Structures are given as C-alpha cells and as structure tokens.
Amino acid sequence: MVEKEDLGLSLSLSSSTNNWLNLTSPAQSQPQWNALFSVPENRLQGLPKLRGIDVNRTPVATALVATESCESDEEAGASCSPNSTLSKDGGSRKTERGISDEEDGGSRKKLRLSKDQAAVLEESFKEHSTLNPKQKAALAKKLNLKPRQAEVWFQNRRARTKLKQTEVDCEFLKRCCENLTEENRRLQKEVQELRALKLLSPQVYMHMAPPTTLILCPSCECVSNNSTTSACGVASPSSAPNMPWAPIPIRPAIQRS
DNA sequence: TAAAAGGAAGATATTACGTCA
DNA sequence: TGTGACGTAATATCTTCCTTT
C-alpha cells in the first residue's frame, strides 16, 4: 500500500481514494513529523519511575498473559479483537474464551513504554509506517513486548500522524480560503473601477491593453497567465495541442460600443 | 469471467489508565 | 490531597482489499 503520509497534501480521509484533492501546500515540503511527535524530554524522564514498577513485567505483564493464546493466533495471521466483546457498563471484557479480565485477575491496565522502547519504535516508524508480521515479531522481541503491543503502537502512531496532517491541511485550506476571498474582493473592486472608467471615459478604455487571459491547468488546476506554460510547468495549448486547456478571461466581457 | 463469501489488515472511534499542573 | 486536562495504550468495530470457490 502506498504510504499516505508520504503523499504530501491530501485531505481525503478514506484509504484508497485520496487523490480527489491535491494541493500544493507547505505540507509538500514534508513536515518533520518526528519533530512534531517527538516526546518532550521532560515528559519521558519521569516514565521509568512509575512507582518503581517495571510496567513491562508486573502486574501488567501478568494480565497480558491472559491474551497469550490470542497473540499466538495473531502470529498466524488472525486478529484478536473481532472475537472479543466489551460490556459497555463496566469495562469488563470477556475474551473469546469467555474469561473476563477481572476473572483473569485484573482490569485493563496499560503500560507506559520506556524511553528506549519508544525511541526504537519511532525509529522503526520512520523507516516504514506499517509492520509486516515478520517485522512485528522482530520488533516485539527486540523491545520485549507482545507483537500485539507493537502493532497497537503503530496503529496509534499512524492515527496521530494522520490527525496532525489533517490539522496542517485544515490550516492550509483556511489560508487558501482567506487568500481567495481577498483576491475575489480585489477583483470585484477592479471590476467596479473598470465599469466606472468605461462609463466616464470610453476613449481611454478603448486604448487599454487587452484583457489578460488566465490558463487553467487541467492536471493540477493551477492558474497561470503565462501563454505557454502553467504555473505547475505543464505546457499550454500552443505546445501541447491535445491538452484540454480552458482559457479564462479574467476581465469581465465589457461590450465595446 | 463475474459474483459471492470470507479473511486479513488497516482505519477509525472509543475507553481507560497514568501523569502532571 | 483532590481534580481536571491531556497523552496514549488498548479495545471494538468498520472498511477495504485480496483470494478462493
């Protein structure tokens, strides 16, 4: 699968049809996601303490053992979650074996990954945002985690990346909207001025330069007033006669009588 | 060859826990 | 010391893609 995070700017939230809108934006310069998501040092420093408990061992690890059979299934390619159910009222979960976490000896606990574990995961994520089963197993083994934990970390990491990207895209579109609104205002004003000019002195108007023509590039929809190439560099009709170019006269058609 | 069924994997929504101000 | 906000691990469910029949 194409890594969507690498696609520059795309607003679509669906997985396979995210090419409906592609805009040149600051995001194209590939934001430094790792900088955006880097965990503040001061936050990490407190993590290993955790009241002196090695979160990867007890009692969390003990509770996680309850899902061990599930993990082994997963290694064979099966997923755990569709077979488990959750009672919404108490958060008491029953596994496919019919044993709730509480019956297993503990409610849902969550561990904090150590600084080193997080760093390794981050490094791995830099290389590839998804894990194949082999990579998952290797990474889990390296970090002394369950494969499911590595998988979950990557899932959440992808979600965070996408959320951040969406925020950036949203900001960019806001700015686009503001710019277009301003441009529209300016053009409206220009139209009014030209209309007034035409009314007041038709002779001066007749000697003005011909209207500028904007070219709409069909591939990227950028607009250019260059007669041979669009802003994106795609050749215009004169050099590429097969391109479905659409010249846009920007000055309103004013009858010259 | 098209269609239905089923599974795998990722995306998304939500919950729950730990930390900090 | 209690509490609310926040980050994030974990879970549940949905969606998409691919393979098989």
Side-chain angles (χ1 to χ4, degrees), chain A residues 24 28 213-237 243 245:
Chain A
T24 304
Q28 269 193 338
T213 297
L214 289 185
I215 302 297
L216 180 66
C217 171
S219 59
C220 71
E221 296 189 0
C222 64
V223 176
S224 168
N225 62 358
N226 186 315
S227 61
T228 56
T229 55
S230 68
C232 66
V234 176
S236 66
M243 297 287 280
W245 287 85

PDB file of all heavy atoms in Angstrom, chain A residues 24 28 213-237 243 245:
ATOM      1  N   THR A  24      -0.863  22.071  -3.765  1.00  0.00           N
ATOM      2  CA  THR A  24       0.488  22.436  -3.401  1.00  0.00           C
ATOM      3  C   THR A  24       0.402  23.233  -2.114  1.00  0.00           C
ATOM      4  O   THR A  24      -0.334  24.194  -2.029  1.00  0.00           O
ATOM      5  CB  THR A  24       1.120  23.303  -4.494  1.00  0.00           C
ATOM      6  OG1 THR A  24       1.049  22.566  -5.704  1.00  0.00           O
ATOM      7  CG2 THR A  24       2.534  23.640  -4.158  1.00  0.00           C
ATOM      8  N   GLN A  28       3.758  20.128   1.463  1.00  0.00           N
ATOM      9  CA  GLN A  28       4.522  19.425   0.448  1.00  0.00           C
ATOM     10  C   GLN A  28       5.984  19.384   0.797  1.00  0.00           C
ATOM     11  O   GLN A  28       6.723  18.544   0.315  1.00  0.00           O
ATOM     12  CB  GLN A  28       4.364  20.116  -0.905  1.00  0.00           C
ATOM     13  CG  GLN A  28       3.203  19.546  -1.686  1.00  0.00           C
ATOM     14  CD  GLN A  28       3.253  19.993  -3.114  1.00  0.00           C
ATOM     15  OE1 GLN A  28       3.881  21.007  -3.423  1.00  0.00           O
ATOM     16  NE2 GLN A  28       2.594  19.270  -3.987  1.00  0.00           N
ATOM     17  N   THR A 213      -5.535  36.808 -20.047  1.00  0.00           N
ATOM     18  CA  THR A 213      -6.209  35.511 -20.065  1.00  0.00           C
ATOM     19  C   THR A 213      -5.517  34.557 -19.116  1.00  0.00           C
ATOM     20  O   THR A 213      -4.304  34.384 -19.176  1.00  0.00           O
ATOM     21  CB  THR A 213      -6.183  34.907 -21.482  1.00  0.00           C
ATOM     22  OG1 THR A 213      -6.923  35.771 -22.334  1.00  0.00           O
ATOM     23  CG2 THR A 213      -6.808  33.536 -21.498  1.00  0.00           C
ATOM     24  N   LEU A 214      -6.284  33.991 -18.242  1.00  0.00           N
ATOM     25  CA  LEU A 214      -5.719  33.012 -17.319  1.00  0.00           C
ATOM     26  C   LEU A 214      -5.894  31.620 -17.900  1.00  0.00           C
ATOM     27  O   LEU A 214      -6.891  31.327 -18.560  1.00  0.00           O
ATOM     28  CB  LEU A 214      -6.427  33.087 -15.968  1.00  0.00           C
ATOM     29  CG  LEU A 214      -6.143  34.323 -15.138  1.00  0.00           C
ATOM     30  CD1 LEU A 214      -6.809  34.186 -13.783  1.00  0.00           C
ATOM     31  CD2 LEU A 214      -4.655  34.543 -14.958  1.00  0.00           C
ATOM     32  N   ILE A 215      -4.917  30.800 -17.646  1.00  0.00           N
ATOM     33  CA  ILE A 215      -4.964  29.426 -18.125  1.00  0.00           C
ATOM     34  C   ILE A 215      -5.168  28.501 -16.940  1.00  0.00           C
ATOM     35  O   ILE A 215      -4.461  28.573 -15.946  1.00  0.00           O
ATOM     36  CB  ILE A 215      -3.635  29.050 -18.828  1.00  0.00           C
ATOM     37  CG1 ILE A 215      -3.363  30.012 -19.983  1.00  0.00           C
ATOM     38  CG2 ILE A 215      -3.687  27.618 -19.332  1.00  0.00           C
ATOM     39  CD1 ILE A 215      -4.373  29.986 -21.098  1.00  0.00           C
ATOM     40  N   LEU A 216      -6.151  27.623 -17.066  1.00  0.00           N
ATOM     41  CA  LEU A 216      -6.408  26.645 -16.006  1.00  0.00           C
ATOM     42  C   LEU A 216      -5.801  25.321 -16.411  1.00  0.00           C
ATOM     43  O   LEU A 216      -6.211  24.715 -17.393  1.00  0.00           O
ATOM     44  CB  LEU A 216      -7.914  26.491 -15.798  1.00  0.00           C
ATOM     45  CG  LEU A 216      -8.361  25.504 -14.731  1.00  0.00           C
ATOM     46  CD1 LEU A 216      -7.928  25.999 -13.352  1.00  0.00           C
ATOM     47  CD2 LEU A 216      -9.858  25.298 -14.776  1.00  0.00           C
ATOM     48  N   CYS A 217      -4.818  24.907 -15.647  1.00  0.00           N
ATOM     49  CA  CYS A 217      -4.169  23.629 -15.953  1.00  0.00           C
ATOM     50  C   CYS A 217      -5.089  22.475 -15.569  1.00  0.00           C
ATOM     51  O   CYS A 217      -5.531  22.397 -14.434  1.00  0.00           O
ATOM     52  CB  CYS A 217      -2.849  23.514 -15.184  1.00  0.00           C
ATOM     53  SG  CYS A 217      -2.115  21.876 -15.297  1.00  0.00           S
ATOM     54  N   PRO A 218      -5.400  21.589 -16.506  1.00  0.00           N
ATOM     55  CA  PRO A 218      -6.336  20.502 -16.219  1.00  0.00           C
ATOM     56  C   PRO A 218      -5.765  19.447 -15.283  1.00  0.00           C
ATOM     57  O   PRO A 218      -6.524  18.723 -14.644  1.00  0.00           O
ATOM     58  CB  PRO A 218      -6.600  19.899 -17.594  1.00  0.00           C
ATOM     59  CG  PRO A 218      -5.395  20.233 -18.393  1.00  0.00           C
ATOM     60  CD  PRO A 218      -4.887  21.547 -17.870  1.00  0.00           C
ATOM     61  N   SER A 219      -4.465  19.368 -15.191  1.00  0.00           N
ATOM     62  CA  SER A 219      -3.914  18.308 -14.358  1.00  0.00           C
ATOM     63  C   SER A 219      -3.842  18.704 -12.899  1.00  0.00           C
ATOM     64  O   SER A 219      -4.160  17.912 -12.018  1.00  0.00           O
ATOM     65  CB  SER A 219      -2.532  17.906 -14.849  1.00  0.00           C
ATOM     66  OG  SER A 219      -1.675  19.015 -14.823  1.00  0.00           O
ATOM     67  N   CYS A 220      -3.449  19.940 -12.643  1.00  0.00           N
ATOM     68  CA  CYS A 220      -3.324  20.322 -11.239  1.00  0.00           C
ATOM     69  C   CYS A 220      -4.266  21.458 -10.868  1.00  0.00           C
ATOM     70  O   CYS A 220      -4.350  21.846  -9.720  1.00  0.00           O
ATOM     71  CB  CYS A 220      -1.891  20.711 -10.908  1.00  0.00           C
ATOM     72  SG  CYS A 220      -1.419  22.258 -11.653  1.00  0.00           S
ATOM     73  N   GLU A 221      -4.975  21.986 -11.871  1.00  0.00           N
ATOM     74  CA  GLU A 221      -5.927  23.061 -11.654  1.00  0.00           C
ATOM     75  C   GLU A 221      -5.289  24.351 -11.165  1.00  0.00           C
ATOM     76  O   GLU A 221      -5.955  25.205 -10.580  1.00  0.00           O
ATOM     77  CB  GLU A 221      -7.054  22.619 -10.714  1.00  0.00           C
ATOM     78  CG  GLU A 221      -7.873  21.494 -11.316  1.00  0.00           C
ATOM     79  CD  GLU A 221      -9.112  21.183 -10.499  1.00  0.00           C
ATOM     80  OE1 GLU A 221      -9.312  21.843  -9.467  1.00  0.00           O
ATOM     81  OE2 GLU A 221      -9.874  20.306 -10.901  1.00  0.00           O
ATOM     82  N   CYS A 222      -3.976  24.481 -11.388  1.00  0.00           N
ATOM     83  CA  CYS A 222      -3.370  25.752 -11.045  1.00  0.00           C
ATOM     84  C   CYS A 222      -3.698  26.748 -12.158  1.00  0.00           C
ATOM     85  O   CYS A 222      -4.043  26.361 -13.268  1.00  0.00           O
ATOM     86  CB  CYS A 222      -1.856  25.608 -10.883  1.00  0.00           C
ATOM     87  SG  CYS A 222      -1.025  25.139 -12.389  1.00  0.00           S
ATOM     88  N   VAL A 223      -3.584  27.991 -11.846  1.00  0.00           N
ATOM     89  CA  VAL A 223      -3.942  29.034 -12.800  1.00  0.00           C
ATOM     90  C   VAL A 223      -2.715  29.854 -13.157  1.00  0.00           C
ATOM     91  O   VAL A 223      -1.892  30.160 -12.297  1.00  0.00           O
ATOM     92  CB  VAL A 223      -5.025  29.959 -12.197  1.00  0.00           C
ATOM     93  CG1 VAL A 223      -5.347  31.096 -13.133  1.00  0.00           C
ATOM     94  CG2 VAL A 223      -6.271  29.149 -11.907  1.00  0.00           C
ATOM     95  N   SER A 224      -2.574  30.147 -14.430  1.00  0.00           N
ATOM     96  CA  SER A 224      -1.431  30.935 -14.851  1.00  0.00           C
ATOM     97  C   SER A 224      -1.853  31.904 -15.931  1.00  0.00           C
ATOM     98  O   SER A 224      -2.801  31.652 -16.673  1.00  0.00           O
ATOM     99  CB  SER A 224      -0.339  30.007 -15.386  1.00  0.00           C
ATOM    100  OG  SER A 224       0.650  30.778 -16.038  1.00  0.00           O
ATOM    101  N   ASN A 225      -1.169  33.035 -16.039  1.00  0.00           N
ATOM    102  CA  ASN A 225      -1.436  33.931 -17.151  1.00  0.00           C
ATOM    103  C   ASN A 225      -0.350  33.826 -18.198  1.00  0.00           C
ATOM    104  O   ASN A 225      -0.295  34.597 -19.136  1.00  0.00           O
ATOM    105  CB  ASN A 225      -1.599  35.380 -16.679  1.00  0.00           C
ATOM    106  CG  ASN A 225      -0.335  35.889 -16.042  1.00  0.00           C
ATOM    107  OD1 ASN A 225       0.644  35.153 -15.919  1.00  0.00           O
ATOM    108  ND2 ASN A 225      -0.353  37.137 -15.617  1.00  0.00           N
ATOM    109  N   ASN A 226       0.530  32.841 -18.020  1.00  0.00           N
ATOM    110  CA  ASN A 226       1.577  32.592 -18.995  1.00  0.00           C
ATOM    111  C   ASN A 226       0.968  31.876 -20.195  1.00  0.00           C
ATOM    112  O   ASN A 226       0.230  30.920 -20.044  1.00  0.00           O
ATOM    113  CB  ASN A 226       2.659  31.709 -18.350  1.00  0.00           C
ATOM    114  CG  ASN A 226       3.857  31.549 -19.276  1.00  0.00           C
ATOM    115  OD1 ASN A 226       3.707  31.299 -20.466  1.00  0.00           O
ATOM    116  ND2 ASN A 226       5.033  31.712 -18.699  1.00  0.00           N
ATOM    117  N   SER A 227       1.303  32.350 -21.388  1.00  0.00           N
ATOM    118  CA  SER A 227       0.653  31.794 -22.568  1.00  0.00           C
ATOM    119  C   SER A 227       1.220  30.447 -22.976  1.00  0.00           C
ATOM    120  O   SER A 227       0.607  29.722 -23.740  1.00  0.00           O
ATOM    121  CB  SER A 227       0.785  32.771 -23.731  1.00  0.00           C
ATOM    122  OG  SER A 227       2.156  32.956 -24.012  1.00  0.00           O
ATOM    123  N   THR A 228       2.382  30.081 -22.467  1.00  0.00           N
ATOM    124  CA  THR A 228       2.963  28.820 -22.913  1.00  0.00           C
ATOM    125  C   THR A 228       3.005  27.741 -21.852  1.00  0.00           C
ATOM    126  O   THR A 228       2.921  26.572 -22.161  1.00  0.00           O
ATOM    127  CB  THR A 228       4.396  29.034 -23.432  1.00  0.00           C
ATOM    128  OG1 THR A 228       5.156  29.663 -22.400  1.00  0.00           O
ATOM    129  CG2 THR A 228       4.397  29.937 -24.653  1.00  0.00           C
ATOM    130  N   THR A 229       3.164  28.130 -20.614  1.00  0.00           N
ATOM    131  CA  THR A 229       3.174  27.113 -19.569  1.00  0.00           C
ATOM    132  C   THR A 229       2.326  27.556 -18.392  1.00  0.00           C
ATOM    133  O   THR A 229       2.189  28.739 -18.122  1.00  0.00           O
ATOM    134  CB  THR A 229       4.603  26.850 -19.035  1.00  0.00           C
ATOM    135  OG1 THR A 229       5.141  28.067 -18.603  1.00  0.00           O
ATOM    136  CG2 THR A 229       5.468  26.211 -20.093  1.00  0.00           C
ATOM    137  N   SER A 230       1.794  26.561 -17.677  1.00  0.00           N
ATOM    138  CA  SER A 230       1.040  26.870 -16.481  1.00  0.00           C
ATOM    139  C   SER A 230       1.994  27.046 -15.319  1.00  0.00           C
ATOM    140  O   SER A 230       3.195  26.808 -15.450  1.00  0.00           O
ATOM    141  CB  SER A 230       0.067  25.732 -16.182  1.00  0.00           C
ATOM    142  OG  SER A 230       0.790  24.588 -15.806  1.00  0.00           O
ATOM    143  N   ALA A 231       1.459  27.421 -14.215  1.00  0.00           N
ATOM    144  CA  ALA A 231       2.300  27.636 -13.035  1.00  0.00           C
ATOM    145  C   ALA A 231       3.001  26.360 -12.618  1.00  0.00           C
ATOM    146  O   ALA A 231       4.075  26.377 -12.049  1.00  0.00           O
ATOM    147  CB  ALA A 231       1.452  28.184 -11.900  1.00  0.00           C
ATOM    148  N   CYS A 232       2.346  25.232 -12.907  1.00  0.00           N
ATOM    149  CA  CYS A 232       2.946  23.966 -12.490  1.00  0.00           C
ATOM    150  C   CYS A 232       3.964  23.478 -13.499  1.00  0.00           C
ATOM    151  O   CYS A 232       4.585  22.459 -13.309  1.00  0.00           O
ATOM    152  CB  CYS A 232       1.880  22.904 -12.289  1.00  0.00           C
ATOM    153  SG  CYS A 232       1.056  22.436 -13.811  1.00  0.00           S
ATOM    154  N   GLY A 233       4.099  24.202 -14.604  1.00  0.00           N
ATOM    155  CA  GLY A 233       5.106  23.827 -15.574  1.00  0.00           C
ATOM    156  C   GLY A 233       4.578  23.000 -16.728  1.00  0.00           C
ATOM    157  O   GLY A 233       5.307  22.662 -17.653  1.00  0.00           O
ATOM    158  N   VAL A 234       3.298  22.662 -16.683  1.00  0.00           N
ATOM    159  CA  VAL A 234       2.718  21.886 -17.764  1.00  0.00           C
ATOM    160  C   VAL A 234       2.508  22.796 -18.970  1.00  0.00           C
ATOM    161  O   VAL A 234       2.071  23.936 -18.841  1.00  0.00           O
ATOM    162  CB  VAL A 234       1.365  21.288 -17.334  1.00  0.00           C
ATOM    163  CG1 VAL A 234       0.705  20.560 -18.477  1.00  0.00           C
ATOM    164  CG2 VAL A 234       1.567  20.365 -16.153  1.00  0.00           C
ATOM    165  N   ALA A 235       2.844  22.281 -20.135  1.00  0.00           N
ATOM    166  CA  ALA A 235       2.749  23.105 -21.340  1.00  0.00           C
ATOM    167  C   ALA A 235       1.307  23.443 -21.667  1.00  0.00           C
ATOM    168  O   ALA A 235       0.401  22.663 -21.455  1.00  0.00           O
ATOM    169  CB  ALA A 235       3.381  22.354 -22.506  1.00  0.00           C
ATOM    170  N   SER A 236       1.099  24.624 -22.190  1.00  0.00           N
ATOM    171  CA  SER A 236      -0.224  25.071 -22.572  1.00  0.00           C
ATOM    172  C   SER A 236      -0.502  24.715 -24.035  1.00  0.00           C
ATOM    173  O   SER A 236       0.348  24.169 -24.714  1.00  0.00           O
ATOM    174  CB  SER A 236      -0.339  26.571 -22.339  1.00  0.00           C
ATOM    175  OG  SER A 236       0.533  27.218 -23.221  1.00  0.00           O
ATOM    176  N   PRO A 237      -1.689  25.018 -24.530  1.00  0.00           N
ATOM    177  CA  PRO A 237      -2.137  24.514 -25.822  1.00  0.00           C
ATOM    178  C   PRO A 237      -1.162  24.705 -26.975  1.00  0.00           C
ATOM    179  O   PRO A 237      -1.044  23.832 -27.813  1.00  0.00           O
ATOM    180  CB  PRO A 237      -3.421  25.292 -26.068  1.00  0.00           C
ATOM    181  CG  PRO A 237      -3.861  25.745 -24.753  1.00  0.00           C
ATOM    182  CD  PRO A 237      -2.658  25.864 -23.901  1.00  0.00           C
ATOM    183  N   MET A 243      -3.932  19.048 -25.052  1.00  0.00           N
ATOM    184  CA  MET A 243      -4.361  19.300 -23.680  1.00  0.00           C
ATOM    185  C   MET A 243      -5.673  20.072 -23.671  1.00  0.00           C
ATOM    186  O   MET A 243      -5.831  21.060 -24.382  1.00  0.00           O
ATOM    187  CB  MET A 243      -3.300  20.128 -22.939  1.00  0.00           C
ATOM    188  CG  MET A 243      -1.978  19.413 -22.797  1.00  0.00           C
ATOM    189  SD  MET A 243      -2.065  18.108 -21.580  1.00  0.00           S
ATOM    190  CE  MET A 243      -1.889  19.068 -20.101  1.00  0.00           C
ATOM    191  N   TRP A 245      -7.116  22.527 -22.411  1.00  0.00           N
ATOM    192  CA  TRP A 245      -6.959  23.765 -21.649  1.00  0.00           C
ATOM    193  C   TRP A 245      -8.204  24.609 -21.703  1.00  0.00           C
ATOM    194  O   TRP A 245      -8.929  24.613 -22.664  1.00  0.00           O
ATOM    195  CB  TRP A 245      -5.789  24.573 -22.192  1.00  0.00           C
ATOM    196  CG  TRP A 245      -4.485  23.978 -21.832  1.00  0.00           C
ATOM    197  CD1 TRP A 245      -3.833  22.998 -22.503  1.00  0.00           C
ATOM    198  CD2 TRP A 245      -3.698  24.291 -20.712  1.00  0.00           C
ATOM    199  NE1 TRP A 245      -2.673  22.681 -21.876  1.00  0.00           N
ATOM    200  CE2 TRP A 245      -2.551  23.460 -20.767  1.00  0.00           C
ATOM    201  CE3 TRP A 245      -3.805  25.189 -19.643  1.00  0.00           C
ATOM    202  CZ2 TRP A 245      -1.555  23.514 -19.829  1.00  0.00           C
ATOM    203  CZ3 TRP A 245      -2.798  25.235 -18.707  1.00  0.00           C
ATOM    204  CH2 TRP A 245      -1.696  24.398 -18.810  1.00  0.00           C
TER     205      TRP A 245
END
